[in-house]
Amino acid sequence: MNSLNTAITFASSIMSLDMPAIIKDLWPAANDSTTSAKELTSIISLGLSVIPFTGTLSTVAGVAKGVNSFVDLFVKWSDLASSISTAMQAYQSAVSKSLDDTINAGLDDSKTGVKSHAFWRWIPRRVSHFTQTDMQSEITDNLKLRSMALALQGLKAYIYRATGDCFNANNDPYKFCATINGTKWEYFLMVGDDFAQDVGTKLLGYGLKPAVFLQGPADCLDKYGVQLFTPPMLTSSECVFNLPVCTPGSTDNIVKSIHETCQKLALDV
């Protein structure tokens, strides 16, 4: 239990160090009533998922339910430290309750017993030593990706995707071309009806490749069939950086603009 609390605290400390500067850079006028607070707990989950044993332990029954008491709140970007602290406390409380339920339940209880959880298979194995340095190197990149995505989601940025010949001789930071299964696709980073050149330039400055922030969200949508803005699995890196993807079909006429067309498709952009 102490190790779990240490891991949660450490993940939160990394968030406190890296997130504020990223949010301020990409979304200077951040809105305090836009982003669900559950996004902060999802980042903590990313941190736990890279640690042997705690990654599976963090999925035990009751954790999600316990943290859900926090999801009706919004991230206070103007006081991010307070929001991160609240998320950390909610997560620690949920984990504590889950472990108590497991300890107090019968071994074979189908809902809370030890044998009902994935971490049962870890017991006979030797878990290798995992240091804070290991955790920091694993979580920092994903943390930055999630922070950038949250900022751009708040900014109402989105990916516009279309088929057809694609050229980017100028290497514009808001555009990417790819051929998938013989089909040529072009991807654009948009805010409203504008190509988000400044945002794309900043993302490149953070070391992101266009394939990650332009094609990546579309690949996530194609794989899962729905818009997923929170990573679907704690142990998966897919969808860590995600934005709404607008792909008008042949029957979706451009209304007055690309932006209005995408809004017509029920995208929050």
Side-chain angles (χ1 to χ4, degrees):
M1 183 64 195
N2 288 336
S3 295
L4 273 172
N5 281 330
T6 298
I8 294 169
T9 301
F10 189 66
S12 301
S13 70
I14 296 175
M15 292 165 63
S16 298
L17 289 172
D18 290 340
M19 284 190 76
I22 292 174
I23 299 298
K24 184 177 181 179
D25 184 29
L26 295 177
W27 190 22
N31 190 324
D32 280 353
S33 59
T34 299
T35 308
S36 171
K38 70 180 180 181
E39 301 296 351
L40 296 185
T41 59
S42 78
I43 296 179
I44 294 176
S45 294
L46 283 174
L48 294 181
S49 70
V50 305
I51 307 172
F53 188 72
T54 62
T56 47
L57 184 60
S58 65
T59 66
V60 296
V63 171
K65 182 178 179 181
V67 178
N68 277 347
S69 63
F70 185 58
V71 301
D72 291 333
L73 304 176
F74 290 99
V75 177
K76 293 182 180 179
W77 294 115
S78 60
D79 188 9
L80 185 54
S82 176
S83 288
I84 292 175
S85 176
T86 302
M88 179 186 71
Q89 292 171 19
Y91 211 106
Q92 287 177 328
S93 177
V95 168
S96 177
K97 183 180 185 305
S98 176
L99 290 176
D100 285 344
D101 289 346
T102 298
I103 291 171
N104 294 328
L107 187 65
D108 295 311
D109 188 289
S110 62
K111 293 184 178 180
T112 57
V114 171
K115 285 188 177 180
S116 69
H117 302 313
F119 69 81
W120 174 256
R121 66 178 181 268
W122 284 79
I123 291 178
R125 302 181 183 180
R126 176 181 179 272
V127 178
S128 59
H129 182 59
F130 201 84
T131 67
Q132 286 193 349
T133 300
D134 294 327
M135 178 183 175
Q136 186 167 5
S137 63
E138 289 284 343
I139 190 179
T140 299
D141 288 345
N142 278 345
L143 165 65
K144 289 180 178 179
L145 285 175
R146 290 291 297 132
S147 300
M148 294 174 200
L150 290 179
L152 297 187
Q153 288 169 18
L155 195 61
K156 302 298 183 182
Y158 62 100
I159 304 298
Y160 177 75
R161 174 174 62 168
T163 57
D165 290 334
C166 181
F167 304 96
N168 192 12
N170 296 327
N171 291 320
D172 293 316
Y174 58 81
K175 184 177 183 180
F176 185 69
C177 304
T179 300
I180 302 175
N181 297 326
T183 300
K184 295 181 179 179
W185 290 94
E186 53 185 352
Y187 307 83
F188 298 91
L189 179 61
M190 311 280 296
V191 176
D193 272 318
D194 298 323
F195 297 125
Q197 179 158 335
D198 290 344
V199 174
T201 299
K202 289 182 178 180
L203 293 178
L204 291 175
Y206 280 109
L208 270 66
K209 296 181 179 180
V212 172
F213 67 85
L214 287 167
Q215 183 183 345
D219 287 347
C220 176
L221 171 61
D222 291 342
K223 178 169 183 176
Y224 292 99
V226 294
Q227 301 275 356
L228 292 172
F229 302 119
T230 300
M233 297 174 60
L234 295 181
T235 56
S236 172
S237 61
E238 294 168 335
C239 305
V240 173
F241 182 95
N242 211 352
L243 296 174
V245 178
C246 178
T247 314
S250 58
T251 60
D252 298 317
N253 296 323
I254 300 296
V255 184
K256 292 183 178 179
S257 66
I258 290 176
H259 186 219
E260 288 188 36
T261 300
C262 294
Q263 289 180 319
K264 181 183 176 183
L265 297 177
L267 293 181
D268 183 19
V269 296

